[in-house]
Amino acid sequence: MLNLLSVRRFMALATVLMVAGLFEAAALDEVHTTNGKVQKGTVTKDTVEGVSLTPEGMAGGGGAVTTPADQVESIVFDVQSQDFQQGMRDMNNGDYASAAQSFQALLADEAQMRGFREVCKPYLAYLVGECLYRAGKHQDASTAFESFMKEYKVSRYVPMAVGNMVDSAIQSGRFEKAKQYLVILEEKGGENKARAFLLGAEMDLVQNNAAGAEAKFKQAAASSSSRETQALARLGLAKVAILKKDNDNAKKMAEQALSSSASPAVVGTAYLIIGDVLF
């Protein structure tokens, strides 16, 4: 017979397990889409094909909503783990080295990982590499990303990992390695191919290959339907124009980038370029 004391003991144990990440309560995740909408519920799948979410209040997978991967801006996972939550706090505060340590500690904790939500594991493994990358630990980041991609080949985060690996290789001067990663990213197709052209162009710029960079920036703009990608490509063409001392074209490309995207990254860079040209 379940008396009040038994109920209290059960609730206390459940609370401890939930805090440890070992007791899976109904999660309330958030899927943010590229059109600005937010879907709330439990994410059941997160792959290159798309993200499936059971809306809040619906159990057993009934009424699941699937959003194509290219329409997903981000996911906020509801994960009841102290290490995970601490890692997210550190990451949001810009302390990427500490965040990486928290995520690595969680991955190494077999007890926690046995009860960790399966759909969240690829994201956790990706975050280790992402935080090391942002902390400037490029070699460690590449190692973490490679380990992640071997285990989670169909994860939605694979193209992001490859893109970061390319950038890490470029920043550390490992250009031949960067070329290998670019091939992998280009083979993913779609916007990933356009991103590969953008990164390849940036690598050419670092090596003072203006002609190669110009060709790749044009390929990026032509192969993408994303206004943001097209804007970044035009900013790249503006940088090439400055190298060629063609200030009029640099200003023109920067203004076109502004008309394509109002993201902070594009706006800030565009005005810097325009300012350099004018003054």
Side-chain angles (χ1 to χ4, degrees):
M1 186 177 208
L2 193 62
N3 57 32
L4 182 59
L5 181 58
S6 298
V7 171
R8 286 177 176 170
R9 286 174 176 168
F10 173 78
M11 293 302 294
L13 177 60
T15 300
V16 171
L17 290 173
M18 286 177 67
V19 169
L22 303 178
F23 188 88
E24 283 196 18
L28 184 59
D29 305 314
E30 292 183 0
V31 176
H32 295 247
T33 60
T34 53
N35 63 3
K37 294 183 179 180
V38 179
Q39 303 167 353
K40 293 185 178 182
T42 303
V43 172
T44 56
K45 185 181 81 168
D46 183 16
T47 69
V48 290
E49 296 177 351
V51 174
S52 294
L53 173 139
T54 300
E56 184 179 5
M58 293 186 179
V65 177
T66 298
T67 304
D70 61 357
Q71 294 178 25
V72 176
E73 183 71 31
S74 63
I75 299 177
V76 179
F77 283 109
D78 180 15
V79 177
Q80 299 301 316
S81 161
Q82 290 182 349
D83 283 328
F84 184 84
Q85 292 173 359
Q86 183 61 53
M88 294 303 294
R89 283 193 293 271
D90 288 335
M91 188 171 72
N92 292 333
N93 289 331
D95 187 355
Y96 301 116
S98 294
Q101 290 177 356
S102 292
F103 295 137
Q104 287 172 319
L106 178 54
L107 278 174
D109 189 329
E110 294 183 4
Q112 283 203 70
M113 290 309 296
R114 278 197 295 271
F116 202 80
R117 292 173 60 196
E118 287 295 325
V119 71
C120 301
K121 288 181 179 180
Y123 181 53
L124 173 61
Y126 168 78
L127 284 177
V128 172
E130 174 73 13
C131 289
L132 289 169
Y133 163 73
R134 294 194 188 189
K137 300 181 179 181
H138 299 299
Q139 187 59 58
D140 291 341
S142 294
T143 300
F145 281 137
E146 287 176 352
S147 176
F148 153 74
M149 290 192 300
K150 286 179 182 178
E151 188 164 359
Y152 302 108
K153 294 180 175 63
V154 298
S155 170
R156 188 172 57 87
Y157 305 98
V158 167
M160 303 178 206
V162 177
N164 288 342
M165 288 165 71
V166 172
D167 189 52
S168 289
I170 292 173
Q171 290 192 46
S172 56
R174 295 177 295 125
F175 299 121
E176 289 305 313
K177 195 68 174 178
K179 289 178 183 178
Q180 296 174 22
Y181 295 146
L182 281 171
V183 172
I184 296 173
L185 190 60
E186 189 173 342
E187 288 174 347
K188 299 294 180 183
E191 290 301 319
N192 296 310
K193 185 174 183 179
R195 189 180 181 195
F197 286 135
L198 280 178
L199 289 166
E202 292 291 349
M203 183 167 69
D204 284 338
L205 279 180
V206 170
Q207 299 177 91
N208 296 315
N209 180 3
E214 183 175 23
K216 289 185 179 71
F217 280 130
K218 288 179 178 178
Q219 286 177 302
S223 62
S224 173
S225 60
S226 164
R227 292 173 65 86
E228 179 76 4
T229 299
Q230 291 172 357
L232 291 172
R234 291 189 177 101
L235 287 179
L237 289 170
K239 294 176 187 177
V240 172
I242 289 174
L243 285 177
K244 297 167 71 173
K245 303 188 184 304
D246 185 353
N247 288 347
D248 288 341
N249 194 39
K251 180 174 177 291
K252 177 184 175 182
M253 289 294 103
E255 289 173 341
Q256 287 184 7
L258 278 174
S259 67
S260 296
S261 171
S263 75
V266 170
V267 171
T269 305
Y271 279 123
L272 280 174
I273 290 173
I274 293 170
D276 286 344
V277 169
L278 294 178
F279 305 104

